[in-house]
Amino acid sequence: KRNPFGHQPNSGSDNADGIFPQHGHVYVYAAAHCDGSFGEMVRKVSEKGVLTGVVDIWINVSLGTPVVLYAIFGYMLFALILQATMPGPRAEGPVTPKGNVPVYKDNGFVCYLVTLVSFAGLTVYLKQNGLTPTVVYDRFDEVLVTFDFV
């Protein structure tokens, strides 16, 4: 059965993930080694050959460091705990084609506010200890590449 968008989900043939799943690598390589130009990146890869060009991308893009992994997984754990513990009214979603009614806790705004306050508190704490809360921004290339695997 086809979906309303006219393509089979997860077929791999209708999106770039089926061909080259490492989008972060490509973006970081184009930004760092081709002055942000995808055309220049395609030219470089074409000159070297596709296999050599892909290997060159992988060699010249650094994978995430433990700091980035801690930041990503730490935030994921923080968000999961918030969603599970913050109060909120019971809400029901739309009826699914099989007749199920999803039930969830409507606590998104509360989680957002707690996240903002927590970030402000973390910023104050880090600044008092000579550190910065901008680790994700400072290492954004590593974050993008790490998300290829997370």
Side-chain angles (χ1 to χ4, degrees):
K1 183 177 175 182
R2 295 184 69 79
N3 73 18
F5 300 108
H7 65 274
Q8 292 297 94
N10 301 323
S11 66
S13 62
D14 56 353
N15 60 41
D17 286 341
I19 299 167
F20 194 74
Q22 280 71 41
H23 293 115
H25 284 78
V26 172
Y27 297 143
V28 170
Y29 183 82
H33 300 282
C34 302
D35 295 324
S37 169
F38 285 106
E40 176 66 17
M41 183 190 69
V42 168
R43 186 190 63 73
K44 282 184 175 184
V45 169
S46 297
E47 285 177 356
K48 297 177 182 179
V50 174
L51 183 59
T52 306
V54 170
V55 169
D56 187 48
I57 290 172
W58 271 80
I59 289 172
N60 288 300
V61 173
S62 64
L63 295 176
T65 60
V67 171
V68 169
L69 289 173
Y70 291 141
I72 290 170
F73 285 113
Y75 178 75
M76 289 170 67
L77 180 63
F78 173 75
L80 180 66
I81 291 169
L82 275 185
Q83 290 172 14
T85 60
M86 289 291 105
R90 180 179 188 256
E92 294 182 353
V95 179
T96 67
K98 291 189 177 184
N100 298 319
V101 178
V103 177
Y104 59 95
K105 197 176 352 175
D106 188 8
N107 63 357
F109 188 68
V110 173
C111 291
Y112 171 72
L113 291 177
V114 170
T115 300
L116 287 179
V117 170
S118 298
F119 182 74
L122 180 66
T123 300
V124 169
Y125 173 78
L126 290 173
K127 291 289 187 175
Q128 289 174 346
N129 293 298
L131 300 171
T132 177
T134 60
V135 64
V136 171
Y137 180 77
D138 295 340
R139 299 170 183 249
F140 195 65
D141 56 337
E142 295 175 26
V143 172
L144 285 177
V145 172
T146 302
F147 277 140
D148 283 342
F149 301 104
V150 174

